[in-house]
Amino acid sequence: MTGKVLQEIGEFGLINRIRKWTSTSDPALLKGIGDDVAVIEIGEKVWLVTTDLLIEDIHFELTWTDPFHLGRKALFVNLSDIAAMGGIPKYFLISLGVPKNLSLSFLSSFYRGLKDGARRFGVDLIGGDTSVSKKIIINICLLGEGKRGSVLFRSGARVGDDLFVSGYLGDAAFGLKILQKGRLGGRLKGLIKKHLSPSPRIQLGQVLARNHWATAMIDVSDGLLIDTNHLLEESGVGARIWEDRIPLSKLYQKWIHSFSKFPYRFALSGGEDYELLFTAPPEMRRRILHVALSLKIPITQIGRIVPKKEGLHLIRKDGKEYSPSRLGFEHFKR
Ligand code: ADP
Ligand code: MG
């Protein structure tokens, strides 16, 4: 067979094609492909359905990943997609591909991690599937619940809205880089922890959706720029981001210069932050910053939504604007 290969269109080019190949007109399906979860209407409620795949040596390496945290993270990355809609997570299924010589103690620790995460967020394991495999493959499908009219899609941003992000960006990608360099902790432990043990923003997502404060939301899983771009594309708008407003942790600020000459490198293009990126009209700003204080979650206004024709621009501290040439990580593209 000849013709284009995946590398030329990348992960998101492929998803766009799949979306065209498989469009459906079921009226109960409020959202199919194109958001953090699929949204299915059932009476006054909606079901939220999401799935994520973790593959050994692609998403995690056993050299520095312990099974307990791996189990918990596998669930948490799915919980983050429910958080991005403002939903309530409920049930999940897990499918595993595992090598036949994998120890039972690895598996029991993995399930302990899974159970710990499930208990913390009130979700129940209801099934799955198991197969032999050369490498470990983990797939979770998580179901959540929401109220019709109170779900936050990627597509609701309007020109003039503020752009906010929760937490600090770049720590997880920075932590991964440290692990890849063979360093295992010490003073940089906090960054590594962000990579191995992310925390989904379920409560914040629910508050923003329930009160109708935000207009659009996505979780930052692939990197700030790439996920901002998803939100902009689905909403049909552009954005300006002030670089020096991007929230960086103290550890990040202290150590970034020893690892990269680009201070915003991991914060802009590193993945796995699992923070919430959302838009809201300026009149909601005060309430949003107030809730940040009461939930003890940092929330920062990093930019503003502009018309689509203005695209995505970053503004440097000296006032100069630039359009990023590379947005971040995308499967098949490297
Ligand atoms: P997220 O980073 O929030 O998990 P993704 O970028 O993985 O989202 O996916 C974006 C959208 O594309 C979602 O609606 C997802 O369900 C859909 N999607 C991803 N891969 C496939 C696939 N192989 N077939 C159909 N839909 C897919
Ligand atoms: Mg997502």
Side-chain angles (χ1 to χ4, degrees), residues 208-228:
L208 293 168
R210 188 173 58 230
N211 292 298
H212 301 273
W213 289 342
T215 47
M217 190 148 69
I218 185 170
D219 67 320
V220 184
S221 56
D222 294 327
L224 174 67
L225 292 180
I226 235 171
D227 288 315
T228 300

Side-chain angles (χ1 to χ4, degrees), residues 35-37 50 52 77-78 80-82 84-85 154 217-222 227 230 274-276:
D35 216 303
D36 292 299
V37 312
T50 184
D52 257 303
V77 301
N78 283 276
S80 180
D81 280 319
I82 297 284
M85 312 304 288
R154 293 178 179 180
M217 190 148 69
I218 185 170
D219 67 320
V220 184
S221 56
D222 294 327
D227 288 315
H230 289 321
Y274 300 108
E275 293 296 346
L276 293 180

Side-chain angles (χ1 to χ4, degrees), residues 197-209:
S197 192
S199 187
R201 299 290 194 191
I202 290 287
Q203 198 186 5
L204 174 63
Q206 288 172 1
V207 169
L208 293 168

Side-chain angles (χ1 to χ4, degrees), residues 5-51:
V5 293
L6 260 177
Q7 215 175 348
E8 295 168 62
I9 61 167
E11 178 189 358
F12 303 114
L14 173 65
I15 291 175
N16 279 336
R17 270 160 220 238
I18 294 173
R19 209 165 165 177
K20 286 183 198 131
W21 295 334
T22 60
S23 70
T24 136
S25 56
D26 180 346
L29 186 66
L30 303 187
K31 192 79 212 180
I33 299 174
D35 216 303
D36 292 299
V37 312
V39 182
I40 304 154
E41 182 181 45
I42 297 167
E44 280 303 300
K45 283 187 180 170
V46 290
W47 275 110
L48 309 170
V49 193
T50 184
T51 184

